[in-house]
């Protein structure tokens, strides 16, 4: 496996984990009410999931910004691929949008089912489209710049995801 394949595999894993975490919280008892969950296990799940999603969606948002900057500064190359990436990045469903309910002071409380629905139906398809179009990028240095992935970030992502999995009720998928 080459370096680009390793980076792409990690990005795919993170995308799958974001979906799993959002779905696990949407299915948690009391999630539909958008309020603090009464059971300590449900509270831990929500806290672990919020920590995970804020962190990893923040990484994806930064990656989009790095990709936008790379497309802005890089000239030449495959212009149709460049324009396709720019169009995909301009589509609704950015990580910034997904983070908005948590970043806006005075915003309505997040309801997990609504957030999971956004992740599954808007954010994830946009990410898949961007990831597919990024195959036109062939320089490992560009992938390193865009993704910002290193051993520490991989371990951090896995640790956060394991915290969510540990907080999931027995028999629930995370």
């Amino acid at each position: 496996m080459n370096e680009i394949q390793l980076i792409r595999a990690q990005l795919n894993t993170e995308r799958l984990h974001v979906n799993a975490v959002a779905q696990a919280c949407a299915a948690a008892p009391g999630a539909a009410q958008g309020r603090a969950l009464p059971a300590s296990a449900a509270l831990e799940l929500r806290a672990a999931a919020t920590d995970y999603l804020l962190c990893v969606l923040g990484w994806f948002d930064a990656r989009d910004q790095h990709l936008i900057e790379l497309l802005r500064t890089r000239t030449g190359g495959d212009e149709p691929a460049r324009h396709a990436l720019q169009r995909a990045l301009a589509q609704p469903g950015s990580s910034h949008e997904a983070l908005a309910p948590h970043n806006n002071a005075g915003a309505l409380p997040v309801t997990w089912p609504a957030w999971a629905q956004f992740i599954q139906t808007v954010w994830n398809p946009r990410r898949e489209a961007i990831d597919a179009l990024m195959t036109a990028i062939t320089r490992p240095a560009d992938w390193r710049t865009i993704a910002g992935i290193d051993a520490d970030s991989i371990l951090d992502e896995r640790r956060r995801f394991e915290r969510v999995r540990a907080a999931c009720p027995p028999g629930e998928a995370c």
Side-chain angles (χ1 to χ4, degrees), residues 25 37 39-51 163-164 166-168:
C25 285
L37 304 175
S40 62
L43 287 171
E44 176 55 29
L45 173 59
R46 189 169 183 173
T50 299
D51 175 64
R163 180 176 167 221
V164 173
C168 281

Side-chain angles (χ1 to χ4, degrees), residues 15 19 93 118-129:
R15 186 178 51 75
N19 279 284
F118 178 84
I119 294 292
Q120 184 177 15
T121 63
V122 183
W123 180 86
N124 193 54
R126 178 182 180 271
R127 280 265 47 101
E128 286 177 339

Side-chain angles (χ1 to χ4, degrees), residues 48-117:
T50 299
D51 175 64
Y52 181 86
L53 292 170
L54 291 176
C55 177
V56 177
L57 288 172
W59 290 344
F60 275 109
D61 188 43
R63 291 169 183 148
D64 284 355
Q65 296 309 310
H66 295 198
L67 180 55
I68 289 167
E69 182 64 22
L70 179 76
L71 293 172
R72 188 180 66 73
T73 60
R74 186 70 42 90
T75 57
D78 186 351
E79 286 301 312
R82 171 198 204 85
H83 292 299
L85 266 168
Q86 289 170 330
R87 283 190 303 275
L89 286 162
Q91 293 298 310
S94 70
S95 298
H96 183 76
E97 287 177 68
L99 291 167
H102 291 286
N103 293 333
N104 295 331
L108 296 174
V110 172
T111 62
W112 285 101
W115 208 24
Q117 180 76 10

